[in-house]
Every structure is written in structure tokens, then in C-alpha cells.
Amino acid sequence: MSPARMSPAPVLPVRLGVQVAQQHGTIGTIRDTVAEIEALGVDVVFDWDHFFPLTGDPNGLHFESWTLLAAWAEQTSTIQLGALVNCNSYRNPDLQADMARTIDQISGGRFIFGTGSGWFERDYDEYGYEFGTVGTRLDALEAALPRIEARWAKLNPPPLRDIPVLIGGGGEKKTLRIVARHADIWHSFSNPQVLEHKLGVLAGWCDAVGRDIAEIEISTELRRRSVDEADELYALGTRLFTIGVSGPRYDLAPVVDWLAWRDSKNAL
């Protein structure tokens, strides 16, 4: 698919999101970590939508995503929040919409609806969901998003704002088509070379569905990237950068460093 012409991207500030993986830490430690992250000036706090740890002891401490997000919504006052990302398979689409609306109301309009098709087979097996295939899970996500959007329009009271939809993933045939149709934010784990290619594919899908790619905020995971790589991602248009921290001890030193980098970009 050839890249479409892209409008000049709107001027967006660089934002930093921190994913607080709710594994191997107590509720108290997680609560304190979120409070510290907000005090540091982080823009978005995320959790993940899994039922078991992804690293370390596979049966270690772990907590559910959406109930935790509701607690964070009440605990915090300025930081935006959401899952990176919700698993579409685990909850009825209309229920997802209602849960998102409720957390948006609790938070005063700070909720981001991050979602994806799901991938961690143990979650499915132990909680009784059909795992299916990558294709069937993506088809389910594509079918769910119009229902979620329609339910938001019917709820009373409605969300406090048009809830931003973040979609995670980089598949070129289905995922990026879904992003083009529904996402306000696209999140990936791409390095600069891959991101440049994927942006061309996404632009093609945006052209196919009649959407301007400039409407979609680009989000990329920092992981263990260097500042030089982050600079390249920034040059390609990434404006939301995410970094993950995990229990039992949530080390926020890298967060402080990346906040300084964020502020240097926003000072330009």
C-alpha cells in the first residue's frame, strides 16, 4: 500500500506515559507509586489488562486492571489514565463503554480508552475465554469499537469528553486499518526504521477510509532506547512516549530522566 499525502501534523506537546505494571507489588506500593508519578509531572499513568504476571514469578502478586483504574481515578487529580492496553476479549463491548464512561466521570474527564485484541493465552485459558486466533481476535476488536462508540452516545450521563481511543499494535493488514478508522492515538513498540515504514502503511489506510493521519497521535514505547533513538522517533512524529515500571520495587529514576528529555523537547 503506497503512502498517502499527509497534512502537516498539528503541534502537539511531547507527553510521557508511565505503565505501572500491577505485578509483584502490594496495593499500597502501587498506590504510592502512582502518587509519586503524578507528583513528578508525568502526563499519563497506565496499567495493563492481564490476570497474571508477565515477568518474574508467574504466580506472583497481581491485580485486575479496570478496578485498579477506578481507584487511580479517585486517587489522582491531574494525570490522565488508562490501560495499555485493555483486552477486548474479556468484556462485552457495551460494558467496556460503560466502564470507561464511569471512570471518565470519576476522574473528571481524564480517561484514555486504550484497547487491543489480546494475546496472552494463559489469561484466556485460566479465566475461561476462547483464545481463537490472531485474526478472530482482531475481527472481534473491529466489531466491538463501533458498539463502544455507539454506547457512549447513549449513556446517561455521557462521558465528560470525547474519550480518546488508543489502539495498540502494528499489524499492517488489519490492526492499522482499525487504527485508521477508530484511533485518536496509535501505540507501537517500533524502532525508528520500523516506525517510518508503519507510518507509511497507516497513511495509506487513512487515505482508504477518508481520514487524515494528522488526526492520530503517535505513541511509542521507549523500553531501553537511547536518547538518540528517542530523538529519531520524535522526528518521525511520535509525541506520546511510554516507559514501563514493575514491582516489587518501582524504580522511577528512568522516569525522572525521561521527564527531563520531554521538557527539553517542549522547550524548543
Side-chain angles (χ1 to χ4, degrees), residues 177-257:
R177 184 185 71 220
I178 297 169
V179 169
R181 287 176 174 160
H182 297 283
D184 300 291
I185 307 168
W186 169 51
H187 180 78
S188 80
F189 297 87
S190 303
N191 63 36
Q193 293 72 33
V194 172
L195 181 63
E196 185 172 19
H197 168 73
K198 299 285 187 183
L199 286 171
V201 176
L202 178 58
W205 279 119
C206 285
D207 186 58
V209 304
R211 181 111 185 265
D212 188 342
I213 192 175
E215 298 173 5
I216 302 172
E217 183 177 7
I218 307 304
S219 172
T220 311
E221 170 66 36
L222 285 167
R223 290 196 173 182
R224 298 176 183 84
R225 300 196 192 282
S226 67
V227 170
D228 287 345
E229 282 185 289
D231 287 342
E232 290 183 66
L233 293 167
Y234 172 85
L236 288 167
T238 299
R239 290 299 180 267
L240 175 58
F241 293 83
T242 65
I243 184 172
V245 295
S246 177
R249 188 180 71 84
Y250 292 90
D251 180 10
L252 299 185
V255 174
V256 173
D257 293 339

Side-chain angles (χ1 to χ4, degrees), residues 21-63:
Q22 64 271 26
Q23 61 175 12
H24 308 306
T26 65
I27 282 290
T29 301
I30 294 169
R31 182 190 302 115
D32 292 346
T33 300
V34 170
E36 187 174 355
I37 284 171
E38 184 173 40
L40 286 170
V42 169
D43 300 287
V44 190
V45 61
F46 295 105
D47 66 5
W48 63 28
D49 192 14
H50 296 291
F51 303 131
F52 300 94
L54 299 185
T55 60
D57 180 358
N59 296 309
L61 297 175
H62 199 277
F63 297 97

Side-chain angles (χ1 to χ4, degrees), residues 46-93:
F46 295 105
D47 66 5
W48 63 28
D49 192 14
H50 296 291
F51 303 131
F52 300 94
L54 299 185
T55 60
D57 180 358
N59 296 309
L61 297 175
H62 199 277
F63 297 97
E64 195 275 330
S65 171
W66 281 82
T67 42
L68 193 60
L69 288 170
W72 290 358
E74 182 64 29
Q75 172 189 340
T76 59
S77 59
T78 59
I79 196 168
Q80 295 192 47
L81 66 151
L84 193 64
V85 290
N86 166 69
C87 177
N88 176 68
S89 306
Y90 302 157
R91 303 162 192 89
N92 172 284

